Amino acid sequence: MTIWEVMGWYVFTYPLAMSIIWTSAGIYFWWRREKSYSRKPGQWPENWPSVTILVPCHNEEVSIAATCAALQFLDYPDYRVVFIDDASTDNTASIIRRFVDLNPNFHLLRLSENQGKANALNIALSVAVTTSITVIIDADTILLPDTLKYLVYPFFKQPRLGAVTGNPVSVNRKNLIEKLQAVEFASIIGLIKRSQRVLGRVLTVSGCVVAFRTEVLKEVGGFSPYTATEDIDITWKIQKRF
């Protein structure tokens, strides 16, 4: 058998095998954890920990108003939002200020020089976060009203839990690329991460919406500015700390 034949078999069998593994583990996760799952409002805990939401922004004037508007109406008793304007050159900061003036739990941290997402988050983490839970979202991520409760609730059940990944859903599905992105989110988040949880470890949290235990986030040194995939890097650093 030539090397090309071996590669041909690999290219065919690897996706097939992994599809079987992901699907089987996803079904098992549903059967074990979600089949009879239901949580009515009365089943939520009575006392919720304070949460800080960090929103790194750089030239986000197109989407930041919608994000700010959604963050005003979260169904959570104690949360604050810190927008980190990473030296934007457009109207991002002025748009955010309009919402900051109307919401006492909204705050704007402006950086005079562009630091990059990782460094911007580390600066905010060191000077603006005092809560036990830190939620990080992208500037174009729209949170539903009960999102925070679903992100925070697992920390009640698992004392050694370091992070909880969110479940982003693509809103724009007009052209083929956007529809393929929606399928990607559904498979990677909806199926593969459930399968990884069955295996014992979620290999990557979703960078666009994720909750961290703040003390763990600080313990591992925050986010690395030396990689473009800070969500993968922070996940693995937390995993190494068990």
Side-chain angles (χ1 to χ4, degrees):
M1 184 177 291
T2 66
I3 183 65
W4 297 111
E5 290 175 325
V6 173
M7 292 182 63
W9 275 105
Y10 174 79
V11 170
F12 173 75
T13 57
Y14 176 78
L16 178 63
M18 294 311 298
S19 296
I20 295 173
I21 292 174
W22 297 140
T23 303
S24 300
I27 292 174
Y28 176 78
F29 183 93
W30 168 81
W31 178 78
R32 181 72 181 272
R33 295 175 178 269
E34 296 179 320
K35 182 180 179 181
S36 58
Y37 178 88
S38 66
R39 187 184 297 120
K40 298 178 181 179
Q43 296 175 290
W44 288 119
E46 292 184 2
N47 299 314
W48 294 90
S50 300
V51 172
T52 298
I53 303 175
L54 299 182
V55 189
C57 312
H58 179 68
N59 294 344
E60 304 285 354
E61 65 178 5
V62 174
S63 59
I64 193 62
T67 302
C68 293
L71 289 172
Q72 294 180 111
F73 303 108
L74 297 182
D75 181 19
Y76 198 84
D78 186 8
Y79 73 95
R80 60 199 299 263
V81 183
V82 179
F83 298 92
I84 312 139
D85 179 45
D86 194 12
S88 295
T89 56
D90 61 2
N91 294 320
T92 297
S94 60
I95 295 173
I96 294 173
R97 281 197 184 98
R98 296 205 301 263
F99 288 90
V100 170
D101 292 340
L102 298 173
N103 298 275
N105 60 326
F106 280 23
H107 309 276
L108 174 60
L109 175 63
R110 292 207 70 187
L111 305 181
S112 58
E113 296 182 2
N114 183 263
Q115 302 289 328
K117 182 179 180 180
N119 280 329
L121 286 172
N122 288 336
I123 292 171
L125 187 64
S126 63
V127 302
V129 179
T130 58
T131 57
S132 60
I133 303 295
T134 301
V135 173
I136 298 174
I137 68 172
D138 283 350
D140 59 352
T141 297
I142 307 298
L143 297 186
L144 296 178
D146 57 356
T147 298
L148 282 188
K149 288 184 176 180
Y150 280 99
L151 286 174
V152 173
Y153 182 72
F155 291 103
F156 283 93
K157 304 182 68 176
Q158 302 181 55
R160 293 176 61 243
L161 187 63
V164 175
T165 187
N167 181 28
V169 177
S170 178
V171 176
N172 296 321
R173 307 177 193 176
K174 297 179 181 178
N175 56 46
L176 179 60
I177 294 179
E178 291 174 346
K179 291 179 180 179
L180 289 175
Q181 186 182 40
V183 173
E184 179 191 20
F185 279 171
S187 61
I188 291 179
I189 306 299
L191 180 61
I192 295 180
K193 290 195 186 303
R194 282 177 167 81
S195 304
Q196 292 173 351
R197 185 64 186 87
V198 170
L199 300 176
R201 292 289 185 272
V202 173
L203 301 184
T204 308
V205 297
S206 305
C208 60
V209 52
V210 57
F212 294 97
R213 196 181 297 276
T214 304
E215 62 177 338
V216 174
L217 195 56
K218 294 182 177 181
E219 182 182 331
V220 300
F223 298 89
S224 172
Y226 304 110
T227 175
T229 53
E230 80 286 336
D231 49 356
I232 298 176
D233 179 80
I234 194 67
T235 305
W236 292 1
K237 287 200 296 187
I238 292 176
Q239 299 282 22
K240 289 174 66 176
R241 292 296 183 98
F242 305 99

